[in-house]
Amino acid sequence: TEGKMGFEDMIAGAPTMRSVVRLGQRAAASSIPILILGESGVGKEVIARCIQGASDRAGKPFISVNCGAIPENLVESILFGHEKGSFTGAHEKKLGKFVEADGGTLFLDEVGELPLDMQVKLLRVLQEGEVDAVGSRRPTKIDVRIISATNRDLESEVAGGRFREDLYYRIAGMTLNLPALRQRPQDIAPIVEQ
């Protein structure tokens, strides 16, 4: 999908949302990684799309990946791609989500669900700016803005050893806390009527 949604398209009449929108607009003006925190259903992907739409990446690819919905054995192939024949069932070369998002934004929803071995690979991609497809002999350079989201408390996941601390600091260049809908009742009717 092309990232052309802007903050003016967002339902954010509640006072608690105004500061979120202001922070989102500031985030859009930079290219730092953003972590969006909030319960399921509060609109984390909507604000991610607004950030892209208000940034200099507007109109470029916006690729969304639900990290919690990918079978564990396919995470690497889906995120980073694979070469034909690199494993059983790899009948053709597949670009990963990072390469699909090149020039635009990659939205990693439920990033807290990533297995630890994939967290290591994700950290490397973010540090190096290149991806290694499964079975590939050379890495592919990428230019991708990362926006991550989770409904988990990542700080306690880090403390419990379930999420890498170095990756947490890498993806949380700026953190946006989205309030639950029950904390912004005036936004519920307009959202339902969309």
Side-chain angles (χ1 to χ4, degrees):
T1 9
E2 298 302 306
K4 290 186 177 154
M5 187 176 199
F7 286 101
E8 65 282 354
D9 300 312
M10 198 174 164
I11 293 165
T16 52
M17 283 301 289
R18 289 191 201 122
S19 62
V20 171
V21 167
R22 275 197 304 276
L23 270 176
Q25 287 167 328
R26 269 190 29 221
S30 78
S31 60
I32 59 170
I34 296 160
L35 178 62
I36 302 172
L37 304 175
E39 295 177 8
S40 294
V42 294
K44 295 187 288 289
E45 183 167 337
V46 171
I47 198 149
R49 286 181 182 277
C50 290
I51 289 168
Q52 151 119 346
S55 77
D56 57 7
R57 293 177 187 263
K60 301 280 183 5
F62 180 97
I63 304 294
S64 178
V65 185
N66 183 335
C67 299
I70 308 172
E72 201 163 316
N73 61 327
L74 293 178
V75 174
E76 185 174 16
S77 165
I78 285 171
L79 287 181
F80 311 124
H82 64 251
E83 293 294 324
K84 180 178 178 177
S86 55
F87 55 87
T88 308
H91 302 302
E92 57 188 12
K93 177 183 169 113
K94 184 173 185 346
L95 299 176
K97 298 296 182 184
F98 272 90
V99 175
E100 284 179 35
D102 192 31
T105 300
L106 181 62
F107 177 62
L108 297 172
D109 199 7
E110 301 312 341
V111 72
E113 308 290 327
L114 278 178
L116 279 165
D117 59 334
M118 284 305 114
Q119 292 178 29
V120 174
K121 291 194 161 120
L122 175 58
L123 180 66
R124 206 194 138 267
V125 170
L126 300 182
Q127 287 169 334
E128 308 290 330
E130 56 186 34
V131 292
D132 284 305
V134 180
S136 174
R137 287 188 197 82
R138 58 179 176 273
T140 305
K141 275 281 182 207
I142 47 151
D143 167 26
V144 172
R145 201 252 176 102
I146 300 293
I147 302 180
S148 308
T150 185
N151 56 14
R152 290 191 179 197
D153 176 350
L154 281 192
E155 286 183 4
S156 67
E157 295 288 301
V158 166
R162 292 176 298 276
F163 200 84
R164 289 183 62 98
E165 187 173 23
D166 47 7
L167 179 59
Y168 171 67
Y169 287 115
R170 175 66 68 158
I171 63 173
M174 177 186 273
T175 302
L176 296 180
N177 281 288
L178 276 187
L181 282 173
R182 64 183 171 278
Q183 295 168 308
R184 40 190 273 232
Q186 56 273 69
D187 287 346
I188 294 173
I191 288 170
V192 170
E193 287 157 14
Q194 267 189 321

